[in-house]
Amino acid sequence: MKRIALLLTAVLFCCGVQAEEIRKVLVIGNSIMKHGAAPQLGWNTDWGMAATAEEKDYAHLLHRKISETAKQAKAPELQLARIADEKHMLGWDKLKNSGADVIVIQVSDNYRGKQTREVFQKNYEQMIRDLRGDGNPIIVCVTNWGGPTKLTQMIREAAAANNVLFADIATPGALPENRAGSEGHFTNGGVNWHPGDRGMAVIADTIYAAIESALKQKLAR
């Protein structure tokens, strides 16, 4: 089978038809994605809080799943980024025209503005449109962690209105076994609110399940 696949690739190349590659994966998140060292919290590393290793945080787990699916000679670049003002759901200009083929949006946990369609959802939908730009990236909107809220439904609606994918991590985030506190590695309450290794794996699996079909379609072009 491997030999047949190589021959098919060679034929397509000679005919000027090449399968689309996944060159970059952009994950836009918050402390769940990456948090710098905070010794006062008992957190002394700089990957996704509260995974016990970088390769166990959701961004790196997801990147590995995408890379394994793509089966490219060169793995996609992984870019981790934040919007400038998650508190008010603003500030993504620097992330426009990123050139990413897959964009994961996991922001809202730190939102402190009005939880209305006129404010939160309007800004969130504009972010989706701006990040898409003139390209055709796979975009998946990921909910807040820690249990369903009004924002969970608005993120779902924003994704549907803009014809992008949706992943619910709020529901598994409400389960104690998916939080770091259940694993006993940390003592700070804020750190323990975050997903532990089990929770990180659940997040990565949930996002991958949401994008898998679109990813495979893109790679088959």
Side-chain angles (χ1 to χ4, degrees), residues 1-220:
M1 288 298 294
K2 185 175 182 181
R3 187 175 181 181
I4 293 172
L6 289 171
L7 287 171
L8 180 58
T9 300
V11 170
L12 291 172
F13 182 80
C14 290
C15 294
V17 180
Q18 290 180 268
E20 191 166 345
E21 287 194 346
I22 304 299
R23 297 174 300 277
K24 180 193 281 190
V25 177
L26 170 62
V27 179
I28 304 169
N30 46 42
S31 59
I32 299 174
M33 174 195 71
K34 184 180 175 71
H35 193 295
Q40 71 277 17
L41 303 178
W43 177 252
N44 299 303
T45 54
D46 66 347
W47 49 71
M49 189 181 274
T52 59
E54 184 177 65
E55 63 269 20
K56 292 183 178 181
D57 72 25
Y58 86 85
H60 288 85
L61 289 171
L62 178 64
H63 179 252
R64 185 164 71 236
K65 288 175 179 290
I66 293 171
S67 299
E68 290 172 351
T69 300
K71 296 182 176 68
Q72 298 167 179
K74 182 179 180 181
E77 172 190 351
L78 174 61
Q79 179 184 353
L80 305 181
R82 294 173 179 255
I83 62 174
D85 186 2
E86 184 182 1
K87 185 176 179 180
H88 299 99
M89 200 52 62
L90 296 168
W92 51 82
D93 283 355
K94 65 180 182 180
L95 301 176
K96 294 179 183 178
N97 304 310
S98 67
D101 301 288
V102 178
I103 300 176
V104 178
I105 305 172
Q106 200 280 305
V107 291
S108 68
D109 298 290
N110 298 309
Y111 181 71
R112 297 296 181 267
K114 292 182 178 179
Q115 296 189 20
T116 64
R117 290 178 175 83
E118 294 74 24
V119 179
F120 174 83
Q121 189 170 329
K122 180 180 178 181
N123 287 357
Y124 195 100
E125 289 195 25
Q126 186 62 53
M127 175 173 58
I128 295 172
R129 291 190 290 271
D130 288 345
L131 293 174
R132 174 188 281 144
D134 296 326
N136 188 34
I138 296 170
I139 298 178
V140 57
C141 298
V142 185
T143 66
N144 53 294
W145 173 254
T149 68
K150 289 182 181 179
L151 301 183
T152 310
Q153 181 59 30
M154 283 188 272
I155 292 171
R156 185 190 297 272
E157 292 175 5
N162 289 274
N163 197 31
V164 298
L165 303 171
F166 171 80
D168 174 19
I169 66 167
T171 301
L175 301 176
E177 60 264 34
N178 289 326
R179 302 226 187 152
S182 69
E183 298 180 3
H185 300 295
F186 308 100
T187 58
N188 180 269
V191 176
N192 280 330
W193 172 88
H194 288 72
D197 290 345
R198 281 189 296 271
M200 288 292 187
V202 168
I203 293 174
D205 288 346
T206 302
I207 297 173
Y208 182 77
I211 69 171
E212 183 177 12
S213 178
L215 179 65
K216 289 180 176 178
Q217 288 179 25
K218 193 176 187 73
L219 289 164

